[in-house]
């Protein structure tokens, strides 16, 4: 059996036009070539595709059944050719992006929607990890991009563009002792357990650590769940609070003395400047910069 794309296109066109001669006109062929192609296809498949009664061929039930499969196969072939062409022009085989755990609820999906529209055949993989681990994944080449909070110290190999801002606020369950205080001192924070979102590497000291006692987790929603159950207090991004369920109404923002009500940070799209950038990576960076300059 030797069935190629041309056979499938001819079969599809005969079904849609209703005759060999009409299909020939659409395809720019002579009717005899179309008729011969269908006859060879029937021989290869050992199936009668058309009843040749009267002036026009009548599709058999088998032909109607194969027609839907033919549409799918031709679509897949066209996608394959387009993807192969893009690869030849420098498109990545896959684009891997890691998002810091605390940032999963910010509006990052719009950037993926734009990418998918521009490169529909591109495989896009989205991961989440604590900020420290996400940066490590980027440096080690496991991902091409990381979505991170701004950092005080930058690696010389990093390059980034600011996307938006996000604020984090100190919160506790309304039944927690800290929530009973009109004003919370630094000493109060020091005396109560803090829930920290950080790397699984216990040798790395967490950022924004104020308490002598703390529990670690590598997922922000796990931290939020522990805070909701009164197991400690912690810093939670504003967007996360907006997306939480009814339990969020039982959370209270802490009024800390000599401390801003919320901490606002830039959110950066970060990449490794020493890595080669494919078509999709270049497109994403250009789009991010365009949005930043609006």
């Amino acid at each position: 059996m030797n069935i190629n794309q041309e056979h499938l296109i001819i079969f599809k066109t005969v079904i849609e036009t209703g005759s060999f001669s009409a299909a020939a006109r659409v395809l720019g062929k002579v009717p005899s070539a179309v008729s011969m192609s269908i006859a060879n296809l029937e021989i290869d498949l050992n199936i009668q595709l058309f009843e040749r009664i009267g002036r026009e061929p009548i599709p058999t039930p088998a032909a109607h059944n194969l027609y839907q499969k033919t549409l799918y196969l031709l679509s897949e072939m066209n996608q394959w050719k387009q993807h192969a062409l893009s690869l030849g022009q420098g498109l990545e085989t896959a684009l891997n992006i890691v998002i810091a755990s605390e940032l999963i609820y910010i509006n990052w999906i719009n950037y993926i929607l734009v990418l998918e529209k521009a490169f529909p055949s591109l495989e896009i993989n989205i991961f989440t990890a604590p900020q420290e681990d996400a940066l490590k994944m980027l440096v080690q080449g496991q991902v091409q991009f990381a979505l991170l909070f701004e950092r005080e110290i930058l690696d010389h190999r990093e390059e980034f563009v600011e996307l938006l801002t996000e604020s984090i606020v100190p919160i506790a369950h309304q039944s927690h002792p800290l929530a009973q205080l009109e004003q919370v001192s630094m000493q109060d924070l020091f005396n109560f357990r803090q829930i920290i979102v950080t790397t699984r590497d216990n040798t790395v000291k967490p950022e924004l650590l104020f308490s002598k006692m703390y529990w670690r987790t590598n997922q922000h929603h796990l931290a939020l769940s522990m805070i909701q159950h009164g197991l400690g207090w912690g810093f939670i991004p504003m967007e996360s609070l907006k997306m939480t369920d009814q339990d969020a109404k039982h959370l209270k923002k802490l009024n800390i003395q000599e401390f801003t009500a919320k901490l606002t940070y830039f959110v950066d799209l970060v990449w490794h400047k020493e890595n080669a950038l494919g078509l999709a990576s270049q497109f994403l960076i250009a789009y991010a910069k365009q949005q930043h300059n609006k």
Side-chain angles (χ1 to χ4, degrees), residues 11-234:
F11 168 69
K12 167 182 173 291
T13 308
V14 172
I15 290 282
E16 293 173 349
T17 59
S19 72
F20 295 149
S21 57
R25 287 194 296 272
V26 170
L27 297 172
K29 298 179 179 293
V30 296
S32 60
V34 172
S35 177
M36 181 66 69
S37 177
I38 295 297
N40 290 335
L41 189 59
E42 289 175 322
I43 292 171
D44 284 340
L45 296 174
N46 194 28
I47 296 174
Q48 185 174 3
L49 298 173
F50 295 92
E51 298 282 356
R52 293 163 176 79
I53 302 172
R55 297 183 60 183
E56 306 297 348
I58 301 173
T60 64
H64 284 298
N65 184 276
L66 287 172
Y67 174 69
Q68 295 301 323
K69 297 287 187 183
T70 301
L71 295 180
Y72 173 78
L73 280 175
L74 287 173
S75 175
E76 286 290 303
M77 287 179 178
N78 286 331
Q79 290 180 44
W80 186 92
K81 288 195 294 185
Q82 289 300 318
H83 188 60
L85 179 63
S86 297
L87 290 174
Q89 295 173 342
L91 181 66
E92 300 89 336
T93 55
L95 194 65
N96 299 317
I97 302 171
V98 62
I99 301 172
S101 301
E102 302 91 330
L103 296 174
I104 61 174
Y105 287 122
I106 68 166
N107 192 20
W108 55 267
I109 195 66
N110 282 348
Y111 292 88
I112 305 304
L113 292 172
V114 170
L115 265 178
E116 191 276 335
K117 186 175 181 180
F119 305 97
S121 63
L122 175 65
E123 176 187 332
I124 301 177
N125 303 307
I126 308 294
F127 307 100
T128 181
Q131 173 128 332
E132 301 91 339
D133 292 340
L135 190 55
K136 188 181 298 184
M137 291 173 69
L138 180 68
V139 172
Q140 293 177 348
Q142 299 174 40
V143 297
Q144 289 103 318
F145 291 98
L147 206 60
L148 306 171
F149 279 118
E150 61 179 286
R151 283 90 50 230
E152 291 185 6
I153 301 176
L154 297 179
D155 188 299
H156 69 279
R157 296 165 295 181
E158 291 179 37
E159 200 159 346
F160 68 93
V161 59
E162 295 168 351
L163 300 185
L164 43 84
T165 59
E166 171 63 312
S167 298
I168 59 173
V169 292
I171 63 167
H173 190 269
Q174 63 183 14
S175 64
H176 191 279
L178 289 176
Q180 313 309 310
L181 303 175
E182 289 189 13
Q183 286 194 323
V184 179
S185 68
M186 289 295 183
Q187 185 61 44
D188 293 328
L189 294 181
F190 184 76
N191 290 329
F192 287 94
R193 182 189 301 123
Q194 184 176 352
I195 307 299
I196 295 285
V197 179
T198 188
T199 175
R200 285 171 283 189
D201 184 351
N202 289 331
T203 64
V204 177
K205 185 178 179 180
E207 296 183 6
L208 293 178
L209 178 61
F210 291 87
S211 176
K212 64 180 178 181
M213 301 172 290
Y214 62 94
W215 287 359
R216 307 166 68 112
T217 177
N218 67 331
Q219 293 291 338
H220 102 281
H221 41 275
L222 296 180
L224 184 57
S225 179
M226 288 189 279
I227 293 171
Q228 286 173 334
H229 286 83
L231 294 173
W233 70 275

